[in-house]
Amino acid sequence: MVWQTKYTLYSLGVALLLVLLILWSGRSETQDASGTREPVHLISVEQMALDVTVEAAGSLKARDQVVIFNTLEGKTTILSLVEEGTTVAKGDKLIELDASTLQDRLVDQQITVQNAEASFVQARENYEVVKNQSKSDVEDARLAVTYAEDDLRKYEQGEFPNEKKQLQSQIAVNEEELRRAEEKFEWSKVLFDEKFISQTELQADELAAQKARIDLELSRSDFDLLLKFSHVRRLTELHAEVDKTRMALERIRRRAKADVVQAEADFNAKEALLTREKARLEKTRDELGKTVLVAPQDGVVVYATSHSRSWRSNTEPLAAGQEVLERQELIYLPSSGSMVAESQIHESNLEKVKLGQEARVYVDSMPGKSFHAVVKSVALFPDATSSWLNPDLKLYRTELELQEHDDGLRSGMNCRIEIDVAHLEQVVAIPVQAVVLEGGHRYVYLQKNGRLRRQEVTLGLSNESFVEITEGLKAGDRIQLNPPLTSMGG
């Protein structure tokens, strides 16, 4: 609401009448410094009682009232609302907002939640499967390493020594057989020379000796092959198998860990997604609940648009079919009979207004009647709306609590306030229009010896009509009520 400073007709009439009387009584002609004669209006400076007040326009509102806001996000449309001025009880429906979009959103969100739950269950089961499979793969790889190490130890400590001993034993047997075959062959040659055996028997013994010699050479050759080639190759293969299975174990461990981490991340993501979608579902349900606004207490319905006007000139009264915004004030429910006058004080009067000052409130609809009030609050910063409309205009929101009550008072009524700043007894005071501001100094035009001369003065307190003079004038001085626009000599 943009507050505009105004005055009642009777105060304007009194001030105008006073000015006319002064002008009439002091009308004369005096020669100025340039030598031309211009009509001037002179008045005598007098001592008087001066009531210093600050006046401003305002409106009434309940001191204690509940504000009903639109808490839905974005814009929404009013479907129905209770009539202004209706007395409602706690729990009565005040406003119903359009819920069609939210109902569609609720159905869509329910489907989204079901899909999220299915994805969550699948991710959870997959996570367990991956953990079990990874554990199984690691155990298999660990067994493979164990078997490879066992094979290596079995060969080094069993197979190779046994095979070596067998070959060594075979060599020893073949050596003994060769010795016997050679001895037999030598004896057979003696017997053959003595004609005890035949040529055939001698040749047979010779062949037996040759065969024993060849068998010995073969067994020795097998032993050399075992030591130089077979053993080395087999040992290399077994060591390689151990290394391979160990590397496979490490690879499977890493892959299993990565699979588990990936499955866990997917599970956590699906769980977070499900939580978020459930929260959205609950939010949508909560938003649906906000489409019906009920009275939190007993009271009389006052539309917010009736109590305060926006700076937008096209603001319409609250009605069905109207679009409203989030956090927009819709309805006021006064909770007590006490009233507050809300106004805005111009920055020029800000220093005069203090908390606890007495004031009078004049309600436009109750002419001739005033209500005693007390200043309860003065804003620290100027009103943003008035500053936006006019950067040079600084108005400060001020609230005054009425100390009296009347059943005829209603929220939103226009009023005028008069704040008592001070009551001065027998001070030198002159009309405010007699003072001229020039170069940061205050001047009046004082008559001396039939001529008007500029006289600097020091000002004290003032009201809308008179200002106190603390230095520069005394009672009985004659000054010009309508000072000239151009400077005169001092």
Side-chain angles (χ1 to χ4, degrees):
M1 178 179 67
V2 177
W3 302 92
Q4 300 177 350
T5 305
K6 62 179 184 178
Y7 308 101
T8 57
L9 293 176
Y10 79 91
S11 62
L12 289 176
V14 171
L16 180 60
L17 180 60
L18 178 62
V19 172
L20 290 176
L21 289 175
I22 295 173
L23 292 175
W24 179 262
S25 63
R27 184 179 182 90
S28 64
E29 291 185 350
T30 306
Q31 185 175 8
D32 62 11
S34 63
T36 62
R37 303 184 66 85
E38 297 179 356
V40 296
H41 303 282
L42 301 177
I43 61 172
S44 295
V45 178
E46 298 180 356
Q47 286 187 330
M48 64 177 68
L50 182 62
D51 289 323
V52 181
T53 61
V54 172
E55 299 185 15
S59 65
L60 298 181
K61 71 175 185 178
R63 185 188 66 181
D64 302 315
Q65 64 182 8
V66 176
V67 182
I68 310 300
F69 292 91
N70 169 35
T71 55
L72 291 179
E73 294 181 351
K75 290 184 178 181
T76 186
T77 304
I78 298 176
L79 296 183
S80 65
L81 74 162
V82 67
E83 292 185 4
E84 189 172 21
T86 302
T87 301
V88 296
K90 181 179 180 180
D92 288 350
K93 183 171 74 172
L94 300 177
I95 296 179
E96 183 178 357
L97 302 173
D98 183 16
S100 57
T101 302
L102 286 173
Q103 289 171 346
D104 293 340
R105 189 189 304 170
L106 178 64
V107 174
D108 293 339
Q109 192 59 32
Q110 287 173 335
I111 295 173
T112 302
V113 168
Q114 291 176 355
N115 292 333
E117 285 179 341
S119 299
F120 168 72
V121 171
Q122 182 179 7
R124 182 185 62 193
E125 298 304 319
N126 180 67
Y127 177 46
E128 295 298 328
V129 169
V130 169
K131 284 199 299 183
N132 292 335
Q133 184 62 49
S134 298
K135 184 177 180 180
S136 176
D137 292 343
V138 171
E139 288 299 323
D140 290 344
R142 186 179 292 111
L143 285 175
V145 172
T146 300
Y147 293 156
E149 291 174 345
D150 289 344
D151 289 342
L152 177 60
R153 285 193 298 271
K154 182 177 70 172
Y155 176 74
E156 289 180 330
Q157 299 175 14
E159 292 179 353
F160 172 67
N162 291 341
E163 188 175 357
K164 181 179 178 181
K165 289 178 181 180
Q166 288 178 355
L167 291 176
Q168 289 175 339
S169 175
Q170 186 63 41
I171 291 173
V173 170
N174 290 338
E175 287 178 345
E176 181 62 23
E177 289 180 352
L178 176 59
R179 184 184 63 78
R180 289 180 180 182
E182 288 180 344
E183 287 182 353
K184 184 179 180 181
F185 176 62
E186 292 298 329
W187 181 250
S188 296
K189 287 195 294 183
V190 173
L191 293 178
F192 176 74
D193 291 338
E194 296 295 332
K195 306 297 184 180
F196 287 106
I197 60 174
S198 64
Q199 181 70 29
T200 302
E201 291 175 333
L202 178 63
Q203 291 176 348
D205 291 337
E206 184 180 7
L207 289 175
Q210 291 178 353
K211 179 178 180 304
R213 188 178 296 107
I214 293 172
D215 290 341
L216 176 59
E217 291 176 357
L218 288 174
S219 61
R220 287 176 175 173
S221 177
D222 289 340
F223 185 74
D224 290 339
L225 288 175
L226 174 64
L227 294 180
K228 295 179 180 180
F229 300 102
S230 300
H231 170 65
V232 174
R233 179 175 179 176
R234 181 59 178 162
L235 195 61
T236 302
E237 289 176 350
L238 292 174
H239 277 291
E241 185 66 21
V242 170
D243 293 339
K244 184 172 73 173
T245 54
R246 285 176 178 173
M247 288 187 293
L249 174 60
E250 182 63 22
R251 183 172 61 251
I252 291 173
R253 278 177 176 169
R254 292 179 179 273
R255 185 175 63 240
K257 183 178 180 180
D259 291 343
V260 170
V261 170
Q262 179 63 38
E264 184 179 13
D266 184 60
F267 168 68
N268 292 335
K270 295 298 174 53
E271 184 178 28
L273 178 64
L274 176 60
T275 301
R276 185 185 68 180
E277 297 304 332
K278 283 183 175 180
R280 287 180 175 176
L281 178 60
E282 289 303 315
K283 182 179 180 181
T284 304
R285 287 173 176 164
D286 183 62
E287 291 285 294
L288 271 173
K290 296 176 182 178
T291 57
V292 177
L293 305 179
V294 299
Q297 64 182 23
D298 300 344
V300 178
V301 174
V302 178
Y303 291 169
T305 53
S306 300
H307 184 270
S308 58
R309 296 293 179 185
S310 169
W311 59 269
R312 300 181 182 91
S313 59
N314 61 346
T315 299
E316 299 178 358
L318 200 66
Q322 187 180 93
E323 282 192 340
V324 291
L325 303 175
E326 183 181 3
R327 301 303 300 169
Q328 180 177 335
E329 296 181 358
L330 302 178
I331 287 178
Y332 299 150
L333 280 181
S335 58
S336 69
S338 301
M339 303 297 291
V340 171
E342 191 175 45
S343 181
Q344 287 188 328
I345 301 299
H346 192 273
E347 62 180 337
S348 62
N349 292 321
L350 189 61
E351 292 298 324
K352 299 178 183 179
V353 180
K354 308 294 181 183
L355 297 183
Q357 286 177 331
E358 303 287 328
R360 290 167 301 282
V361 176
Y362 301 90
V363 181
D364 292 357
S365 62
M366 298 180 179
K369 188 174 183 180
S370 65
F371 296 88
H372 178 225
V374 175
V375 177
K376 287 298 181 181
S377 68
V378 180
L380 295 176
F381 302 98
D383 180 67
T385 302
S386 60
S387 299
W388 186 88
L389 291 171
N390 183 0
D392 296 327
L393 180 63
K394 298 295 187 294
L395 300 177
Y396 292 78
R397 188 179 298 273
T398 304
E399 288 189 353
L400 300 90
E401 183 177 346
L402 273 65
Q403 304 299 300
E404 307 170 65
H405 179 66
D406 190 295
D407 292 337
L409 297 178
R410 297 286 186 271
S411 292
M413 284 184 170
N414 292 328
C415 64
R416 180 177 61 86
I417 64 171
E418 286 184 359
I419 302 175
D420 294 330
V421 177
H423 177 74
L424 306 178
E425 292 287 353
Q426 296 302 309
V427 295
V428 175
I430 62 174
V432 293
Q433 64 266 33
V435 180
V436 176
L437 175 64
E438 185 176 327
H441 298 275
R442 276 78 175 174
Y443 300 96
V444 297
Y445 285 88
L446 176 66
Q447 185 185 48
K448 285 187 176 182
N449 301 323
R451 294 174 60 87
L452 291 175
R453 306 176 65 86
R454 190 172 64 176
Q455 173 68 33
E456 185 174 0
V457 294
T458 302
L459 305 183
L461 295 176
S462 66
N463 57 22
E464 300 297 330
S465 301
F466 291 90
V467 60
E468 177 190 9
I469 303 298
T470 58
E471 293 181 9
L473 291 177
K474 64 181 183 298
D477 288 341
R478 300 274 290 175
I479 62 171
Q480 184 175 357
L481 181 63
N482 56 335
L485 297 178
T486 58
S487 176
M488 301 179 62

